Amino acid sequence: MPQKILFDLTTLATTSAGTAVYTWELCHRLMRLAKPQQLIPINCPFKTVGKHGFSRAYNALLRDTIWNMFISGMEADKEDYFIFPNINVPKKFLNCNYAVVIHDIAAWHNPSILNWRGKQLISSLPVVLQNANIIFTVSEYTALDIIKEFGKT
């Protein structure tokens, strides 16, 4: 049984789309089920949601440098667990206990729809799936697509 469950809320800083709503709801519901101090939400302070131009670019740069270094510098006990509500799993955590939520793999099938950062992120999908202890999907279609594409169950 994990001592702590650390829940990455960085998605909330980057979008207000359905993935952010899902992330917030999942974290909120898990917090109601967990014992006090068992589930720890980790919220990124460098938000790009609602920002434009220089402010958006500056916060994205801070998130990609300072925030990712902060998250990568976190220490966890062997029994601790991380939940990443998307495929953005820092490399340091690939050897830790973690669960990942996959909403879909449409970008994997068609990376031309992504910018350079998105292409870099989606290229990590096979490694993220291979090392995850648990893979959650939001639909049976996505689960079957992952099994078909990566042979992962």
Side-chain angles (χ1 to χ4, degrees), residues 57-99:
Y58 184 66
N59 275 6
L61 177 66
L62 292 174
R63 185 185 60 243
D64 291 347
T65 55
I66 295 171
W67 180 249
N68 285 347
M69 285 190 324
F70 169 76
I71 264 201
S72 294
M74 290 183 67
E75 293 299 324
D77 295 331
K78 283 176 125 177
E79 302 83 25
D80 291 345
Y81 223 89
F82 290 86
I83 298 176
F84 295 98
N86 58 35
I87 64 168
N88 193 8
V89 178
K91 288 180 182 177
K92 173 186 177 179
F93 297 104
L94 294 175
N95 294 320
C96 295
N97 295 315
Y98 71 90

Side-chain angles (χ1 to χ4, degrees), residues 11-86:
T11 302
L12 301 178
T14 63
T15 184
S16 58
T19 54
V21 174
Y22 180 89
T23 297
W24 173 252
E25 283 295 321
L26 180 60
C27 182
H28 193 73
R29 290 172 190 228
L30 288 174
M31 287 177 75
R32 282 190 253 150
L33 295 173
K35 296 175 184 169
Q37 302 301 315
Q38 186 181 20
L39 190 123
I40 302 166
I42 305 167
N43 204 357
C44 177
F46 304 112
K47 299 183 183 327
T48 54
V49 174
K51 297 192 183 294
H52 304 283
F54 177 77
S55 177
R56 182 178 178 87
Y58 184 66
N59 275 6
L61 177 66
L62 292 174
R63 185 185 60 243
D64 291 347
T65 55
I66 295 171
W67 180 249
N68 285 347
M69 285 190 324
F70 169 76
I71 264 201
S72 294
M74 290 183 67
E75 293 299 324
D77 295 331
K78 283 176 125 177
E79 302 83 25
D80 291 345
Y81 223 89
F82 290 86
I83 298 176
F84 295 98
N86 58 35

